[in-house]
Amino acid sequence: MLTSLYIKNYALIDELNVQFNSGLTIITGETGAGKSILLGGLSLVLGKRADVSQVKNTSEKCIIEASFDIANYHLKSLFADLDLDYDVQTIIRREILPSGKSRAFVNDTPTTLESLVALSTHLIDIHSQHQTQQLIQDDYQFKVLDALADNKQNLELYTAKLNSYRALQKSLEQLKASKSDMIKEYDYNLFLTKELNEIDLESLNIEELETQYEQLNNVEIIGEKLGNSKMILSLENQGIIDQLNLVKQELNRISSFGKAYEELEERVSSTAIELDDILTELDNLESQLSSEPQELERISEKLQLVNNLLQKHAVIDVEELIKIKEELQSKISNTESLDDHIAETEETLLKLQKELDQIATDISSKRSAIIPELTQKLEDLLSGLGMPNARFKIDLEKRDDFTSNGKDALSFLFTANKGSNYNTLKKAASGGELSRIMLTIKSVLSEYMQLPSIMFDEIDTGVSGEISNKMGAIMKQMSSKMQVFSITHLPQIAAKGDSHYKVFKTDTNDVTHTQLKRLDEEERIVEIAQMLGGANITESAMAHAKQLLN
């Protein structure tokens, strides 16, 4: 519900701050008084593109701010989707800066015009005689039918499953499209994996393999050097060990003469022991040496194979080769299981399709059942609005494909006159007739669902007398369930309001200003009397005005 509207520095409005109540709110004023300015400002709050030419004083910014009570609108999830802070007292503000740039805020959070439009459609609906395009749109006609048919839960379930169905369809198409490419790669990936499997990469120690190769490849020089080393150490009377023993004997003779000599002898003894160990190790290594041409060839081939793989796959170590092998095996496995995956997806799709068919059938059945009631309600209401011969023909035909509205094709046909053929609303109804049809539809909808606040902008144009009285009665009835605004020139409608505002112009210092005032009881009588009889108010006009108000 719109609770307040603040406008500053917009068109002919310097500053305006007005509070609104629930029920039926009437707005009147002479032609050109500025009712369109009021609507223009409100439209900016609802997401209309800003026009800097509408700024009154271009040196200051223009501000339009609207407050809404949305406690009963169930919009928390929408606020979350739009990344906005939810508050039951929501404030929407538009600013147009002197530079021409505009900004939008919801509860002081900056937002985009797209988000503003998405939110505002749930808050207020501005409807004029020239804004009846909704009526001729399939989605709106389905909305009307489903509201009466109580299809909300079915449609929510259908929409959720339809989204899953379409996502799965897309996935299946991608699987099938990639199948041929994956099959082409399969043989090559299999070949690469076979190459990598020729070596047990996981247990391969490349450093140890290279060490073995060096030893086998240089067995002769290793044997020669080991033998020379042994000879140097053990040559009789000339070897290092014999010579060191002589040193030890010499030092032994003086070791008792001082600590330093004793320690030196011990060091030489330790060295002699270490050299004996070294000689033993040299002897062991020499005895273990053997020439193994076949093993050397095997290791050489293995090293060559590893190096070729490293070069082929452009990597530097075995760990990376193992990773590549795992990736190739995964691709092979995916290709081998692709047919199974496709079959499983097709099976799931078929199951979803059957579920969707069943839900769509339930939706269609409920629609078909409610059509006679909807038709009767609309025709009865229109009969009271001066269209006694108005008739509707609403038909459903089953479609083969799934749409956002189920599997029905909706035919919403109309005729306003006896003997005339049924046709689409766009072709069969005039502008004035469309306005009355829209009013009746909104009236019927208000009985079955929570509608946003609605503002009827002179939809009573061309209507007078008893018909206008009945239009007012419909609006009054609607206002018991929702907030209704009516911008009108008709006293019969104006008299039915719970509150009444007048738009008027004043001239101050040769400058024209638009203002909006809430009328008290006496002022309402005068305003309605003027609407009845013009500027020169007669006693009979005053009496008629009081009669209408009472």
Side-chain angles (χ1 to χ4, degrees):
M1 182 182 89
L2 178 64
T3 58
S4 68
L5 180 63
Y6 175 78
I7 300 176
K8 181 179 181 181
N9 194 30
Y10 178 74
L12 298 179
I13 299 175
D14 282 328
E15 189 170 23
L16 176 70
N17 193 357
V18 59
Q19 310 299 312
F20 296 110
N21 297 322
S22 57
L24 176 58
T25 298
I26 299 297
I27 300 175
T28 60
E30 295 180 2
T31 301
K35 297 187 292 296
S36 61
I37 294 174
L38 194 66
L39 284 178
L42 185 58
S43 295
L44 284 174
V45 170
L46 303 180
K48 181 183 176 183
R49 293 283 176 184
D51 182 356
V52 72
S53 67
Q54 292 294 314
V55 178
K56 192 173 193 299
N57 182 349
T58 54
S59 64
E60 298 179 3
K61 70 178 177 181
C62 165
I63 301 173
I64 297 109
E65 188 173 278
S67 300
F68 295 88
D69 181 346
I70 61 172
N72 299 322
Y73 282 28
H74 310 293
L75 296 178
K76 282 187 178 180
S77 59
L78 177 62
F79 273 71
D81 292 340
L82 297 176
D83 197 22
L84 296 172
D85 294 329
Y86 176 81
D87 195 319
V88 293
Q89 299 296 327
T90 283
I91 299 173
I92 300 178
R93 185 172 77 255
R94 285 292 299 278
E95 295 180 356
I96 306 175
L97 306 179
S99 63
K101 182 180 178 181
S102 75
R103 300 184 297 186
F105 302 87
V106 175
N107 296 328
D108 287 328
T109 300
T111 190
T112 63
L113 288 189
E114 290 77 10
S115 295
L116 208 57
V117 170
L119 175 61
S120 65
T121 55
H122 296 273
L123 302 179
I124 190 164
D125 176 14
I126 297 178
H127 175 69
S128 71
Q129 185 176 3
H130 305 292
Q131 292 172 318
T132 53
Q133 292 304 305
Q134 274 186 318
L135 274 177
I136 63 177
Q137 296 170 356
D138 281 351
D139 283 347
Y140 189 78
Q141 293 171 2
F142 273 117
K143 177 182 176 181
V144 174
L145 194 55
D146 287 322
L148 272 70
D150 191 25
N151 264 330
K152 182 180 178 182
Q153 289 187 344
N154 273 340
L155 282 169
E156 287 176 350
L157 179 60
Y158 174 85
T159 299
K161 287 192 177 292
L162 181 61
N163 290 338
S164 299
Y165 181 79
R166 287 176 172 170
L168 206 56
Q169 272 187 323
K170 186 175 181 181
S171 176
L172 181 61
E173 289 171 3
Q174 290 172 343
L175 283 173
K176 289 181 175 179
S178 62
K179 181 177 178 179
S180 58
D181 292 334
M182 292 177 71
I183 289 174
K184 290 177 184 176
E185 292 179 1
Y186 176 77
D187 289 339
Y188 183 59
N189 291 337
L190 206 60
F191 169 74
L192 292 177
T193 304
K194 184 180 178 182
E195 274 189 336
L196 291 168
N197 281 331
E198 287 182 9
I199 300 178
D200 185 5
L201 293 172
E202 285 74 13
S203 61
L204 182 66
N205 188 327
I206 194 73
E207 292 181 1
E208 182 180 334
L209 207 60
E210 288 175 341
T211 299
Q212 290 176 354
Y213 174 80
E214 290 298 327
Q215 289 178 355
L216 289 172
N217 195 45
N218 296 283
V219 65
E220 292 182 359
I221 191 172
I222 292 172
E224 179 186 341
K225 298 307 176 185
L226 288 175
N228 290 342
S229 298
K230 283 171 59 181
M231 184 180 66
I232 293 170
L233 285 174
S234 59
L235 188 65
E236 187 176 354
N237 296 327
Q238 294 182 14
I240 293 175
I241 292 177
D242 284 350
Q243 294 295 317
L244 191 62
N245 284 329
L246 291 175
V247 174
K248 179 182 176 184
Q249 292 173 9
E250 295 298 325
L251 291 174
N252 180 259
R253 294 191 182 115
I254 62 172
S255 62
S256 60
F257 298 154
K259 187 70 174 175
Y261 308 126
E262 183 182 358
E263 289 177 352
L264 196 59
E265 184 205 6
E266 290 175 353
R267 289 171 64 188
V268 171
S269 295
S270 296
T271 303
I273 293 171
E274 179 66 19
L275 286 175
D276 281 336
D277 286 343
I278 291 173
L279 181 61
T280 300
E281 182 67 19
L282 287 170
D283 193 50
N284 289 336
L285 290 173
E286 186 180 37
S287 64
Q288 292 172 9
L289 279 178
S290 64
S291 177
E292 300 180 46
Q294 291 181 342
E295 180 66 10
L296 175 63
E297 184 178 359
R298 185 188 69 79
I299 293 174
S300 176
E301 289 176 352
K302 197 170 188 178
L303 283 172
Q304 184 62 47
L305 181 57
V306 172
N307 287 327
N308 288 343
L309 289 172
L310 291 171
Q311 186 175 4
K312 182 172 186 174
H313 293 281
V315 294
I316 60 174
D317 55 40
V318 173
E319 285 72 20
E320 289 183 275
L321 282 178
I322 293 172
K323 186 177 179 181
I324 289 171
K325 185 175 78 170
E326 290 172 350
E327 290 173 352
L328 288 169
Q329 288 172 336
S330 177
K331 289 180 179 179
I332 291 168
S333 177
N334 288 339
T335 303
E336 290 174 343
S337 63
L338 186 60
D339 286 335
D340 291 339
H341 193 185
I342 289 174
E344 289 171 5
T345 305
E346 288 174 335
E347 186 178 346
T348 305
L349 266 177
L350 185 60
K351 181 181 177 182
L352 267 176
Q353 182 178 328
K354 290 178 179 178
E355 292 173 355
L356 279 169
D357 274 326
Q358 184 58 55
I359 300 170
T361 299
D362 294 342
I363 291 171
S364 184
S365 296
K366 296 181 77 171
R367 285 170 177 167
S368 296
I370 204 66
I371 284 175
E373 182 179 338
L374 173 60
T375 302
Q376 191 63 53
K377 281 178 177 288
L378 294 178
E379 290 175 356
D380 288 347
L381 285 169
L382 287 174
S383 179
L385 294 178
M387 299 174 65
N389 298 316
R391 295 290 182 271
F392 285 92
K393 185 180 180 183
I394 304 173
D395 293 324
L396 292 174
E397 291 183 11
K398 192 170 181 63
R399 299 172 59 116
D400 294 328
D401 57 328
F402 295 114
T403 72
S404 58
N405 292 307
K407 295 187 75 174
D408 289 327
L410 178 60
S411 175
F412 210 98
L413 303 178
F414 174 77
T415 178
N417 304 298
K418 285 184 177 181
S420 297
N421 293 327
Y422 285 96
N423 211 328
T424 60
L425 285 170
K426 182 178 181 180
K427 295 179 179 179
S430 65
E433 288 169 338
L434 280 175
S435 292
R436 280 178 270 180
I437 294 171
M438 176 61 91
L439 176 60
T440 59
I441 286 177
K442 295 283 187 181
S443 174
V444 172
L445 277 177
S446 69
E447 299 177 19
Y448 293 88
M449 62 187 295
Q450 177 66 54
L451 294 177
S453 299
I454 188 167
M455 184 171 287
F456 293 110
D457 177 20
E458 298 184 358
I459 68 162
D460 48 29
T461 301
V463 175
S464 60
E466 183 58 24
I467 294 176
S468 64
N469 190 48
K470 290 184 178 179
M471 289 185 78
I474 291 175
M475 293 182 194
K476 182 70 174 177
Q477 185 273 333
M478 289 175 64
S479 71
S480 65
K481 302 180 181 68
M482 58 185 290
Q483 186 184 40
V484 179
F485 292 86
S486 178
I487 299 175
T488 182
H489 289 291
L490 299 180
Q492 292 88 346
I493 293 178
K496 287 183 167 54
D498 297 301
S499 54
H500 190 151
Y501 294 82
K502 181 176 181 178
V503 181
F504 60 96
K505 287 180 179 178
T506 60
D507 294 330
T508 305
N509 298 327
D510 296 326
V511 178
T512 301
H513 306 274
T514 288
Q515 299 185 37
L516 180 69
K517 178 184 180 182
R518 180 169 183 165
L519 304 180
D520 59 26
E521 187 175 351
E522 289 301 319
E523 289 169 331
R524 284 192 75 184
I525 294 172
V526 173
E527 174 69 7
I528 292 174
Q530 285 181 332
M531 295 173 73
L532 286 165
N536 297 321
I537 302 175
T538 63
E539 288 185 10
S540 63
M542 290 289 286
H544 192 185
K546 291 177 182 178
Q547 184 182 9
L548 285 174
L549 285 168
N550 290 330

